[in-house]
Amino acid sequence: MEILRTENINKSFDDRKIIKDISIHLKQNELVSLLGVSGCGKSTLFNIISGLYVPDCGKVFLNGEDITGKPGNISYMLQKDLLLPYYTVLDNVCLSLVIKKGMNKKKARETASPLFKTFGLDGVQDKYPSQLSGGMRQRAALLRTYLASNEVALLDEPFSALDTITKDEIHEWYLDVMQKIKLSTLFVTHDIDEAILLSDRIYIMSKNPGVITDEIVIERQKPRSNDFMLTNEFIEYKKRIISSLK
Amino acid sequence: MIKKSRSTIFKLAPFISLITVFLIWLILSEGGVIADYMLPSPIAVVKAFIADFDTLMKQASVTLTEALYGLCTGIALAFFISILMDRFEFLYKAFYPILVITQTIPTIAIAPLLVLWLGFSMAPKIALVVITTFFPITISLLDGFKSADKDAINLIRSMGGGKLQIFHYIKLPSALPHFFSGLKVSASYAIVGAVISEWLGGFEGLGVYMTRVKKAYAFDKMFAVIIFVSVLSLVLMAIINLVKNLSMPYMKIEEQNKN
């Protein structure tokens, strides 16, 4: 079932066309990546989908409802974890429940607490973000995003600030967590391996102006693991993506 | 081991220097190097403090009342003005220069005017304390609000939060460390401001007491009250530090992480 769709999104800044006629869709429980080089307008598209920017023309639909320019419907997560240093990890994670879903603090804590185990964050509830490692912080940010999401989460290069080894670990973890929770995800990345490993489908985006040039379905069954990256199948996908990025 | 003993020395350093200054003072005055009427000996100062203890406490309660009323009003005013100036850009542009100009006027010059306008009661003293304290707090709050992370603000917006929530969850907590550094400066201004305004007209308070003992050439008492005033400022700053640590427990953890 289709859950999110954009129709012919266009956006210019100072007469420069950033993105042009972007029409993409996301099905329930699907992970779709938006892959493109830096500066292709991925983040602009993101801000439009999350409602923070209003497109010049085009529309965004969530479950058939027009949410163009209306923030608060879709949760998103950035490369910067944006955990607030003055709240404990638990309260950071609860933030979306309090603001978005209007829960009181106690109820929010009760809702969020059981998920700490699922997300591999057990025992850090009462710590402050500064006491966590980079990987842990991204996990906490993802948990906050998950709790904020009604159905859809936008992840904007969430793991790109992590070092390679931590990144491998967090990919493994991410694939594992996604088996346990249901989340339809639109994932922005410039990392080809990451896109193939995690996605059900990949949109390739080119720049000047940003348009969708290709759409690739990754047929590999889930659950996947990092071993997928060592197969010929993976390399074939990679070849195809590299050629369409050119 | 070496590291540990070094850190002990570092902790003791301020006490050692204080004791050294005290000893030099003691030797200079007791040894007769400097005449008694120019620099009374610390022993005489302590004696004067003990002899005048009741009076000092009574006067201090007046000065502290003025300082605290003034400081609290200053804080309230600073919050009010800085929130408005942060919310409306044109107010910021319009009033920032005026704020700076008010700070270039020497306190000692406006104090007599305030007495003229408001009389000899507590009002002109409190007014002076308000004028001197609200500025550092306003500026630090404004800087604090401006330092709020734009992405964090967008995050709250993406959760459907409005201006009030952005203020509550992002702007106010981001401004808190700035607020406390402004408040610390203001706290010492508050007591000094109250004392200065008492010099220039009044019937009660440490400032009035100070002018009286000065006119009587009782320098031991003069020194006693000067030291007492700075101790009061230090106590007030220590209280503020305590409140700061209680209201921002995460700061302490961050500092520990750095070490």
Side-chain angles (χ1 to χ4, degrees), chain A residues 33-90:
Chain A
S33 284
L34 208 59
L35 183 66
V37 291
S38 305
C40 70
K42 292 173 295 199
S43 297
T44 306
L45 180 61
F46 243 60
N47 283 321
I48 289 171
I49 296 175
S50 63
L52 294 174
Y53 290 178
V54 181
D56 297 337
C57 66
K59 292 217 176 302
V60 183
F61 295 98
L62 179 68
N63 284 324
E65 193 193 335
D66 186 352
I67 58 156
T68 318
K70 287 182 206 154
N73 290 296
I74 292 175
S75 62
Y76 78 81
M77 169 179 169
L78 304 178
Q79 181 182 334
K80 253 161 92 180
D81 56 61
L82 292 178
L83 295 173
L84 306 174
Y86 33 83
Y87 293 137
T88 60
V89 176
L90 180 59

Side-chain angles (χ1 to χ4, degrees), chain A residues 52 76 78 80 82, chain B residues 148-157 170:
Chain A
L52 294 174
Y76 78 81
L78 304 178
K80 253 161 92 180
L82 292 178
Chain B
D149 188 343
K150 296 276 172 306
D151 290 328
I153 291 174
N154 272 341
L155 180 78
I156 301 294
R157 283 184 62 208
I170 307 292

Side-chain angles (χ1 to χ4, degrees), chain B residues 49 65 166 223:
Chain B
F49 183 79
T65 310
I166 289 171
F223 268 79

Side-chain angles (χ1 to χ4, degrees), chain B residues 7 12 36 42 54 69 98 108 119-120 125 174 179 195 246-247:
Chain B
S7 77
L12 286 177
D36 231 18
D54 288 343
Y69 278 155
I98 296 181
I108 206 120
F120 287 95
K125 284 98 182 172
S174 310
F179 166 70
V195 168
L246 287 176
S247 58

Side-chain angles (χ1 to χ4, degrees), chain B residues 92-107:
Chain B
Y92 183 85
K93 288 263 190 300
F95 286 109
Y96 198 87
I98 296 181
L99 270 182
V100 175
I101 290 168
T102 60
Q103 287 314 294
T104 59
I105 303 169
T107 342

